[in-house]
C-alpha cells in the first residue's frame, strides 16, 4: 500500500472446486498485507471459483471469478482497489 493509497489488509485468496471433478477441492491462502506473493497449491485440474477477500478502509470486500485450472500451470491473480473501496479482480492469467 502506498502512503497516499487506500488502506487494505486481511487479504485472503480462496479457491473452491465447482464441478464433479473438483468437488471438495479447496484452498485458502492468507496473504495479509499488500504485496507480491507466490505459493504452490496441489489441486486437481478443473473448474474453480477464485475469490479474493480483503478489508478496504476497515470494510470487508470480496470479488470472484470462475476459472478452469489446468495441470502443471502457474497462475497470476491480482486485484485493483480504488478510492471509495471499489475492488476489481484483474484477469486470472496462466504463464
Amino acid at each position: 500500500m502506498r502512503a497516499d493509497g487506500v488502506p487494505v489488509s486481511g487479504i485472503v485468496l480462496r479457491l473452491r472446486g465447482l464441478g464433479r471433478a473438483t468437488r471438495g477441492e479447496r484452498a485458502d491462502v492468507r496473504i495479509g498485507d499488500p504485496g507480491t506473493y507466490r505459493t504452490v497449491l496441489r489441486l486437481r485440474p478443473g473448474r474453480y471459483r477464485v475469490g479474493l477477500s480483503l478489508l478496504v478502509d476497515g470494510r470487508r470486500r470480496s470479488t470472484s471469478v470462475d476459472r478452469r485450472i489446468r495441470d502443471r500451470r502457474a497462475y497470476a491473480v491480482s486485484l485493483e482497489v480504488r478510492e471509495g473501496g471499489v475492488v476489481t479482480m484483474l484477469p486470472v492469467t496462466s504463464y
Side-chain angles (χ1 to χ4, degrees):
M1 173 182 68
R2 298 184 334 248
D4 63 340
V6 178
V8 300
S9 62
I11 303 164
V12 179
L13 171 67
R14 289 192 168 96
L15 290 100
R16 302 287 183 263
L18 292 178
R20 190 175 67 208
T22 58
R23 188 165 313 179
E25 289 286 293
R26 60 188 306 149
D28 287 352
V29 179
R30 300 199 182 286
I31 298 169
D33 295 325
T36 300
Y37 297 84
R38 291 179 188 252
T39 189
V40 175
L41 301 174
R42 305 267 189 249
L43 298 169
R44 290 187 299 246
R47 296 219 34 97
Y48 286 85
R49 177 151 297 137
V50 179
L52 284 164
S53 173
L54 63 153
L55 290 173
V56 178
D57 248 349
R59 295 172 55 198
R60 178 65 53 192
R61 301 287 188 195
S62 62
T63 184
S64 65
V65 64
D66 295 350
R67 180 81 159 118
R68 179 168 297 282
I69 303 296
R70 300 186 192 286
D71 198 16
R72 301 181 194 279
R73 297 274 239 182
Y75 291 87
V77 179
S78 56
L79 65 98
E80 180 177 83
V81 180
R82 286 176 255 150
E83 292 293 334
V86 176
V87 176
T88 305
M89 183 182 295
L90 301 175
V92 176
T93 57
S94 66
Y95 59 94

